[in-house]
Structures are given as C-alpha cells and as structure tokens.
Amino acid sequence: MEKVAIYCRLSEEDRNKKQETDDSNSIQNQKAMLLEYSIQQGWEVYNIYSDDNYTGSDRNRPEFKRLLDDAEAHKFDIVLCKSQSRFTRELELVEKYINGLFPIWGIRFISLVDNADTANKGNKKSRQINGLVNEWYLEDMSENIRAVLTNRRKNGFHIGAFALYGYQKDPEQKGHLIIDEEAAAIVREVFTLFSQGYGKTAIARMLNERGVPNPTEYKRQHGLRYQQPKRRNSTLWKYFAISDMLTNEIYIGNMVQGKYGSVSYKTKQNKPRPKDNWYRVEGTHEAIIDRDLWDLVQSIIAARAKPFDVGTVGLFARKVRCANCGYTMRSSKNRGKHYLQCSNRHVAKDACIGAFIAVDKLEKIVIQELNNLSQRYLDQDELERSVEFKQNLEQQKEACLKAKAKLQKQLEDNSNYLLALYKDKVKGLVSEKDYFTMANDFSKERERTEYQIKEADRHLEELEAQMLAGDQRKEIIQRYTHVEHLTREMVEILIDYITVGKRVPGTQDVPIEIHWNF
C-alpha cells in the first residue's frame, strides 16, 4: 500500500474556534475530507500534519517544515491537501517543492479541490497558474491590510498587538490606550530618578534590587499580552529598557507608530524607517508624564549625549553582543583607551558573567578575519566551488530565456493563424460568425501569451539583479581587503553583528564570532 501524508492548514477566512486548544472547524473538515479520500484510494495514512493559525505565506510553519523533512527522508509516497493554497500561497515554493524537489524525492503531490496531481504531467501549467494566482492574492491582501493600518495610524489609533508598559488597551474603544496605574507609577519613578541625576544603569539596578518586574515579566504576571523575550534574564530591567522609556512620546499622550516597516509581504522581517516617515499624532490618550518633567528629561539626555568619535567610541556601536546573555555591549573608556563590556553585568548580581574586550583588539581581529575571508573567497578555484548560487541563477536565466523564446514563437504563430483565418473568411471558406468566434479566441490567447512574456521579462530582471548582487558582494570584499583601520561606514557595510565571549582563563584569547552582511 502507498503511504500518504495529509497536510491541513487553517484558512485565514475561517476562524471559529471555541477554545484555543481546539482545532478549528476548518481543520476538522479538511481532515475528514482527506481521510475519506485516502480510504477510498486504498492508501495507508502515514501521518496528519496540521498547522492551525498560520498563513499560507509563513515558511516557518512547524508542521509544514516537519512534513518537508519527512518527505525528503521518503517516509511516505504522497502528500495530500485540500487545495494547493493550503500547502503554500507562494509561487516560489510551488516551483521549489511541488514541481522541483518532490519529483526528485519520489513524492506525489495531490490537492483535491483544484485537481493538482504531479502524477498527471498535463496539469503542471495549471499548478503554476494556481501558484501565480495565490501569489497575487497574497500581494493584494498585504497591500489592502497595509492601507487600512496606515489609515488607522494616521488617525492616531493604536494598532499594535501589545500595549506599551504603563498602558493597557481600552476594552471599550478599539485602538485607544488607558493608563495602567500600577505600571505607570514605575514609569513616573524612572523619569523622576533620571531628572534627579541618576544614570540609566543605576535606575535599572535600583528596580532590580527591589524586585520590580521588568515590562515583559509584569505583563506575564498580570495576564496581559506581551512579546516573548528572545534572550535570557528576561525578568530584569536593562539599560536599554530605561533608555527607550525616557524617549518614548507615548508617555506624554502622543501616539507614535511606524518606527519599523516590513521588508516584504513574504517575510516577517522588519527594518527601521526614517523618523520623517513615522506616524505621529498628538493628544490621542491620557499622558503619564507631564510636559515639564518630559522637557527636563529630554534636555538632560541632550546634554549627556557624547559626540560621535569615528574609529574609537562609535566604531562598533550597537554591533557587538555578549555571547553569554545576548545583550548589546556598551563602550567605556579608561586611561585614554576604549573598551566594550556587557552592560548586563551591572544591572543585578549574577545577571551575566560579562564579556569584555578592547576596541582596538576587536578591530584587529575583524581586519584579520576580513583578509582571511577575502583570500578564500577571491581565490578563483574556491569561488567556483563555493558560489553555487550563481550557477543556479545562470541555469534559471537560461531556462527563462528558452521559455520566453517559446512564448514569442507562440505569439508569432498566433498572428499567422489569425491572418490565415482572415484570408479563409475573405475566400468564403469560413463564415463570418465562425470567424469572429475563432478570432476572439485567438485574441484572448494572444493576451495571455503577451502577459506571460511580460512576466518572463520581469523574472529575467530579478535574476539579473540577483546576479549583480553576487558580483557586488565580491567587489565589496575586494574593496576592503588589506585595510589598516576600520571606519564606521565600513562596519555598517560589512558587519551584521559580532558576539564576544568571556576571556579564556589563563590566556588572552577572547571568543569572537563575526556575522557578515554578505
């Protein structure tokens, strides 16, 4: 008996769960339909993979990823879904898995509603069209949602999933914030202490010594929605938590949103947006901090701001993290020499064992690694072995050019057929009614072909851009080979982030891990 893997996913349009632990009716219906079909076909059900509350564009669906791992290991013979869109709404994944890897792995893909079946060679185009339609659906839905959210931001409505510490979402008015007095008292204390001359780390230490839970832990204890922390020691107050609080205008009643924007509708990754592009609306809710105290705090922050010193203090600013706790290391100065140290070891006892390194030492390590990397990467033999992506892009480009040539031939044949049809009409071999019917069909086919040619041109442009990016990556490394000193601009271009560990006892070795931008 052939083994079948059933995959189900919750439809975004069908959320009707009674309890969080229940499968939605949509999932239950999918399972029943697919199980019944499997029994009718005489297949053995290997497993049911079910992702509830996940979109079709989410590549990190846990059951989806498990399904792909099991498919590669060939633990079953068939993947069965209700529709192709339940498996994925991305054309790229349709091509990669359904039309690409599944046949290589010996896996047959079937979706019932849209009749997709990789065993039927004749419906590959329909699968690709389904993928394209689903891709358009994702893009249109993303644009519509973005337009609605932008409009609400411009009108001062709070649209975030989590209320800022010190506030709660108003249960009576959607998009409005109300003060959470217990947390607001801590916010007022932080602003007051800073105005009296206490530093940000000192304030964090004072709150930790008193056992005051940080914003995330406070929300967890009170049953409020909060963002899951990515790092350890999440119950402690940190320097940056105090720093961000002291400059957040929401505490004086202004709604400020849109500080980050998504890179693409295909990913959850966000990037900072310029301050001029933020959405700022004044007086949208009750203030926790009065204007006089706010102005005083901002003036103190401005007075304490250090000038940016390229190559020393600011060289690795916000680029270096402690390998132990994951927090950003801060700069310090002693006897004219600059250092980076883990800010977490000062906020509470045993918070972190602490990482520490001299800036000039780290600079030398980065330069050495960059030179080593350039020697490996720029070696032609190594380049040909390692840069497999470029070969893949060349193959994709060649295939796209062949497909475009075929479409252009179809377009030319279409014009010839239409001309021949017209001649037959003139000779009286084809009636006028039949001529217009067939001419209309040819015109529709011509429009479809022209559209496919435009899509092929767009895909070729994307491939060219990706190939160019690969060449630029090589040029970037060449440009910064054999440098003697780094600049802040170079650090921004070359480095995503660096982790620094605790010095190895009895040696001068400090564990360093550099994450490059290329």
Side-chain angles (χ1 to χ4, degrees):
M1 295 176 63
E2 290 184 298
K3 292 183 180 180
V4 61
I6 291 175
Y7 180 73
C8 307
R9 181 180 62 79
L10 169 69
S11 170
E12 285 293 296
E13 295 81 11
D14 188 17
R15 295 182 181 275
N16 47 12
K17 294 174 17 175
K18 294 180 180 179
Q19 296 180 5
E20 285 294 324
T21 55
D22 294 340
D23 276 353
S24 68
N25 288 345
S26 171
I27 292 288
Q28 294 169 359
N29 293 339
Q30 288 178 59
K31 288 179 180 177
M33 174 195 298
L34 300 176
L35 280 171
E36 182 180 357
Y37 184 81
S38 299
I39 293 170
Q40 291 174 355
Q41 300 300 313
W43 297 332
E44 176 188 345
V45 176
Y46 171 76
N47 201 355
I48 298 177
Y49 302 80
S50 177
D51 281 317
D52 204 1
N53 287 331
Y54 287 90
T55 66
S57 61
D58 190 344
R59 300 188 179 194
N60 293 316
R61 288 170 274 160
E63 289 293 277
F64 177 74
K65 293 171 70 176
R66 190 164 73 91
L67 172 77
L68 296 177
D69 290 339
D70 290 349
E72 186 175 8
H74 202 97
K75 295 182 178 180
F76 44 79
D77 307 293
I78 302 167
V79 172
L80 179 64
C81 301
K82 177 184 175 183
S83 65
Q84 183 174 297
S85 64
R86 300 287 176 168
F87 180 77
T88 181
R89 287 192 181 275
E90 290 191 67
L91 180 60
E92 181 183 347
L93 294 190
V94 171
E95 289 299 314
K96 179 177 181 179
Y97 291 107
I98 298 178
N99 296 331
L101 291 174
F102 279 4
I104 295 174
W105 295 340
I107 302 294
R108 178 183 176 188
F109 177 84
I110 301 174
S111 62
L112 297 186
V113 175
D114 40 19
N115 297 315
D117 186 350
T118 53
N120 182 358
K121 302 299 182 183
N123 72 7
K124 181 177 180 180
K125 289 185 175 63
S126 67
R127 296 195 301 271
Q128 292 172 325
I129 291 172
N130 286 338
L132 187 60
V133 170
N134 287 324
E135 184 89 15
W136 288 340
Y137 169 81
L138 274 180
E139 189 171 5
D140 289 345
M141 182 174 65
S142 174
E143 288 299 324
N144 291 336
I145 292 173
R146 182 176 298 179
V148 171
L149 296 181
T150 297
N151 182 64
R152 290 185 64 80
R153 286 190 181 108
K154 288 181 177 178
N155 286 283
F157 291 100
H158 179 266
I159 65 167
F162 318 102
L164 181 67
Y165 178 74
Y167 287 98
Q168 293 184 16
K169 293 185 176 183
D170 189 345
E172 305 296 329
Q173 183 180 348
K174 189 174 181 180
H176 182 249
L177 298 179
I178 56 176
I179 293 179
D180 177 356
E181 284 300 338
E182 183 178 350
I186 301 299
V187 175
R188 296 187 188 100
E189 181 181 1
V190 168
F191 274 81
T192 301
L193 288 171
F194 189 81
S195 69
Q196 293 173 350
Y198 289 92
K200 298 168 188 176
T201 301
I203 295 173
R205 187 188 305 114
M206 292 168 65
L207 295 176
N208 290 329
E209 288 174 352
R210 281 167 38 202
V212 178
N214 72 353
T216 301
E217 180 64 13
Y218 173 83
K219 291 179 181 182
R220 189 192 66 79
Q221 291 178 3
H222 288 73
L224 303 173
R225 292 195 67 186
Y226 65 95
Q227 188 169 6
Q228 291 287 351
K230 297 179 181 180
R231 300 167 179 168
R232 290 169 286 178
N233 303 315
S234 59
T235 62
L236 296 174
W237 285 88
K238 305 295 192 306
Y239 171 90
F240 289 111
I242 303 296
S243 180
D244 292 342
M245 178 184 291
L246 293 172
T247 57
N248 198 323
E249 284 191 58
I250 291 181
Y251 290 121
I252 57 172
N254 299 339
M255 186 60 66
V256 182
Q257 300 179 102
K259 295 181 179 180
Y260 291 84
S262 62
V263 176
S264 165
Y265 68 90
K266 293 185 177 183
T267 176
K268 294 182 178 180
Q269 182 182 354
N270 289 325
K271 64 178 181 180
R273 301 173 75 239
K275 195 169 184 178
D276 293 341
N277 294 341
W278 294 358
Y279 301 99
R280 183 177 179 276
V281 183
E282 296 186 1
T284 59
H285 54 275
E286 185 179 356
I288 292 177
I289 304 301
D290 64 65
R291 196 64 195 228
D292 290 340
L293 178 56
W294 170 266
D295 290 340
L296 175 58
V297 166
Q298 302 314 306
S299 64
I300 295 174
I301 291 174
R304 290 183 178 181
K306 297 178 181 179
F308 187 73
D309 186 3
V310 178
T312 54
V313 177
L315 181 60
F316 294 106
R318 294 204 176 235
K319 287 287 186 178
V320 185
R321 305 173 186 174
C322 174
N324 179 62
C325 66
Y327 280 86
T328 304
M329 296 176 66
R330 293 177 58 198
S331 62
S332 61
K333 187 176 181 180
N334 185 23
R335 297 179 181 178
K337 193 170 183 178
H338 297 281
Y339 300 89
L340 291 168
Q341 58 182 339
C342 177
S343 58
N344 207 19
R345 65 177 182 175
H346 297 297
V347 299
K349 293 181 179 178
D350 302 323
C352 178
I353 59 175
F356 184 87
I357 191 169
V359 170
D360 59 353
K361 181 175 181 178
L362 180 58
E363 181 184 13
K364 291 177 182 177
I365 293 173
V366 171
I367 291 173
Q368 181 61 47
E369 285 299 312
L370 181 61
N371 290 334
N372 293 340
L373 180 66
S374 66
Q375 289 176 7
R376 293 195 305 270
Y377 186 83
L378 299 179
D379 179 82
Q380 189 61 34
D381 293 335
E382 178 68 20
L383 185 63
E384 292 176 355
R385 288 193 298 269
S386 63
V387 190
E388 183 182 348
F389 80 94
K390 188 171 182 179
Q391 296 175 357
N392 291 336
L393 292 177
E394 290 285 3
Q395 293 170 359
Q396 291 181 44
K397 181 181 177 181
E398 183 180 352
C400 192
L401 287 171
K402 288 181 179 179
K404 181 183 175 182
K406 187 176 180 180
L407 289 169
Q408 288 172 329
K409 180 66 168 57
Q410 291 176 4
L411 197 62
E412 183 181 345
D413 291 343
N414 181 283
S415 299
N416 293 334
Y417 291 146
L418 194 58
L419 179 60
L421 182 65
Y422 178 75
K423 290 179 179 179
D424 288 344
K425 171 183 169 295
V426 172
K427 294 177 182 178
L429 300 175
V430 176
S431 68
E432 188 167 343
K433 181 180 179 181
D434 289 341
Y435 167 76
F436 283 114
T437 299
M438 288 187 283
N440 185 51
D441 291 339
F442 278 126
S443 296
K444 289 181 179 178
E445 180 63 30
R446 182 183 183 85
E447 289 178 2
R448 284 194 292 268
T449 306
E450 287 175 342
Y451 173 78
Q452 289 174 319
I453 291 174
K454 288 182 180 178
E455 284 297 296
D457 286 334
R458 182 184 63 81
H459 187 47
L460 282 170
E461 289 180 4
E462 291 178 352
L463 291 173
E464 292 286 355
Q466 292 180 48
M467 293 168 69
L468 178 61
D471 291 338
Q472 289 176 340
R473 183 169 68 172
K474 178 180 177 181
E475 291 171 6
I476 288 173
I477 297 178
Q478 286 177 321
R479 189 187 314 157
Y480 298 115
T481 301
H482 305 304
V483 296
E484 294 184 2
H485 293 286
L486 297 176
T487 65
R488 179 62 190 180
E489 180 185 11
M490 292 166 61
V491 170
E492 287 288 353
I493 293 173
L494 297 170
I495 298 172
D496 183 14
Y497 67 93
I498 301 171
T499 60
V500 177
K502 182 77 172 178
R503 181 173 61 84
V504 178
T507 71
Q508 295 298 316
D509 297 334
V510 178
I512 303 292
E513 187 173 310
I514 304 171
H515 295 258
W516 303 99
N517 274 329
F518 44 83

